Amino acid sequence: MTTISIIVAADNQNGIGKENKLPWHISEDLKNFKKVTSGKSIIMGRKTWESLPFKPLPKRKNIVITSDKNYIAEGATVVTSPKKAVEACSENEEVFIIGGAKIYKHFFAVANKLYLTRLHDTFDTDTTLEGFDPSEWILRNEEHFEKSENHPSAFSFLVYEKRS
């Protein structure tokens, strides 16, 4: 069975982005994202694809969901629905949903796992994470980092599994 995992960073107010960019830079979060998703399929919306600083993300199968049947994303598989995105992945694989907000909201209903980087601060954002109901999830792992010269905010890596 395919495991559908959401990976996202969000602030205290569930803010996840500003003008299609991350409103913070935390190198540990970027390294964690790379470590967790390398060798896997990653599913994203068109705007997330277009926001990537370089594309496709290396060592991952990049899958882009868009309603534009003529859209071309060089180096990625382009599909027109979330269902087709999952079908483009291998069976028995952990597949990662990497954004944006509409894609996260859709996949919360079917996701089995959530990798949440929780920033313990509030940032100026224009996009929020919707669909996350903590009562539907069991916290399985937590790693905390204090605010420092290298971190603009204290943050935690949280790994949840969906309650059955």
Side-chain angles (χ1 to χ4, degrees):
M1 186 177 121
T2 301
T3 298
I4 297 176
S5 297
I6 291 173
I7 188 165
V8 62
D11 74 4
N12 278 342
Q13 302 297 313
N14 283 332
I16 60 171
K18 171 109 175 160
E19 297 171 357
N20 212 29
K21 293 183 179 74
L22 290 175
W24 48 76
H25 178 80
I26 299 175
S27 61
E28 281 86 352
D29 184 44
L30 300 174
K31 288 175 192 166
N32 185 61
F33 176 88
K34 183 178 181 179
K35 180 182 86 173
V36 170
T37 63
S38 283
K40 313 286 182 166
S41 294
I42 54 173
I43 296 173
M44 69 199 90
R46 177 192 54 80
K47 288 181 187 175
T48 297
W49 168 260
E50 291 175 354
S51 76
L52 295 176
F54 52 91
K55 36 191 153 315
L57 290 180
K59 299 180 183 166
R60 286 157 274 207
K61 181 177 183 179
N62 289 238
I63 301 168
V64 179
I65 302 171
T66 177
S67 58
D68 181 352
K69 292 180 170 89
N70 298 315
Y71 188 77
I72 296 170
E74 197 168 320
T77 301
V78 178
V79 297
T80 55
S81 72
K83 183 176 188 250
K84 288 180 181 175
V86 174
E87 289 170 355
C89 301
S90 303
E91 284 189 44
N92 301 320
E93 175 186 16
E94 184 174 16
V95 174
F96 285 88
I97 311 307
I98 69 165
K102 288 180 188 172
I103 303 298
Y104 285 135
K105 187 174 181 180
H106 173 83
F107 277 100
F108 264 115
V110 295
N112 314 92
K113 209 165 180 183
L114 169 64
Y115 296 79
L116 173 63
T117 299
R118 175 63 77 189
L119 286 89
H120 303 292
D121 208 343
T122 304
F123 289 80
D124 181 19
T125 62
D126 60 15
T127 308
T128 57
L129 183 66
E130 294 179 38
F132 174 52
D133 178 353
S135 70
E136 296 177 355
W137 298 86
I138 300 167
L139 182 62
R140 295 291 188 202
N141 194 26
E142 180 174 7
E143 190 176 356
H144 187 72
F145 299 83
E146 293 300 325
K147 185 175 184 171
S148 71
E149 285 179 19
N150 300 328
H151 313 129
S153 168
F155 64 96
S156 299
F157 291 146
L158 308 171
V159 180
Y160 293 90
E161 287 179 0
K162 185 70 106 5
R163 291 184 189 276
S164 35

